[in-house]
Amino acid sequence: MLFFTGAWGESFDRLWGAFLIEEIHFPDVWGLTPATWISVITAGVALLSLVSTEIAKRRIDRLGHSAVAGTLLGVTALIAVGVLLMASARGFAMAIGAYLLVQVLRPVAYPLVTGWIVSRVDSRVRATSLAARDMFDSGGQIIGGPAVGWIGLVGTIRTALFAGALVLLPAIALLIAATRRAPAAHPDAHPAAHPNALPAALPDEPAEENAATGDEAPPAEEAPPVGPNHREGSR
């Protein structure tokens, strides 16, 4: 999954500015240059990212670590939708709106992946798993980024953006598979390992066992009476 998101991210970072400058064009407002426009957009992304990361954090705090995979799937799918909207945009407003959607969600994805790894991987191999995360992400950037950029060279930047959105489809498919496997790891699937599981009845506790099955316990044998006549007979 990280390989494909890395391949898309590298290409998108190289293409979005050229797409806005060459195919969309910035409006002539207050004499702002393209460099100023990009600075203003970047500042807006930084502010909106604070809101999106806080919303994701509160969702995970409310639903627990089991919601990480589903949240990551939703974020990745929305990013793909945003890229498709941006690539199909013909006007400045739609292109900027789609770009803001993509860039606001990107800072949410990386912490979710890290939290997912930490919560599901044994502590003895956690450092190795985090290193593998960075390796696959870098591999996607090295291999997939230039490949998508080459499409922009031989074709158009708009076509390259569409190709980048298609690169995210395998990542979405892998996340769907991960969310379907997630319930199998729920502690309720293994009652003996659940902290609140009740112990089974022991063989030497017939009363509790009979209570569980609904049978009545056999009456206890009465002790022989001990009285004056009994003592005289014993003499």
Side-chain angles (χ1 to χ4, degrees), residues 99-199:
Y99 173 76
L100 290 176
L101 173 64
V102 173
Q103 292 294 78
V104 165
L105 292 174
R106 287 182 71 182
V108 179
Y110 196 80
L112 287 176
V113 172
T114 302
W116 192 24
I117 293 174
V118 170
S119 63
R120 297 181 67 89
V121 175
D122 190 87
S123 59
R124 293 171 295 182
V125 295
R126 190 171 295 159
T128 304
S129 300
L130 293 175
R133 172 204 61 185
D134 298 334
M135 181 184 69
F136 280 107
D137 183 69
S138 300
Q141 295 180 29
I142 294 171
I143 298 174
V148 178
W150 178 79
I151 296 175
L153 288 176
V154 299
T156 63
I157 300 176
R158 191 183 300 274
T159 304
L161 287 175
F162 277 117
L166 294 178
V167 171
L168 288 175
L169 293 181
I172 294 174
L174 291 172
L175 286 171
I176 291 175
T179 55
R180 289 178 178 177
R181 287 200 309 266
H186 196 275
D188 290 339
H190 305 282
H194 197 281
N196 295 325
L198 295 176

Side-chain angles (χ1 to χ4, degrees), residues 34-68:
T36 306
W37 269 112
I38 291 177
S39 299
V40 172
I41 294 170
T42 303
V45 167
L47 294 176
L48 292 175
S49 297
L50 298 176
V51 179
S52 62
T53 52
E54 181 63 23
I55 293 175
K57 178 180 179 298
R58 292 185 179 183
R59 172 180 169 80
I60 300 303
D61 291 342
R62 185 177 71 254
L63 300 179
H65 291 292
S66 60
V68 172

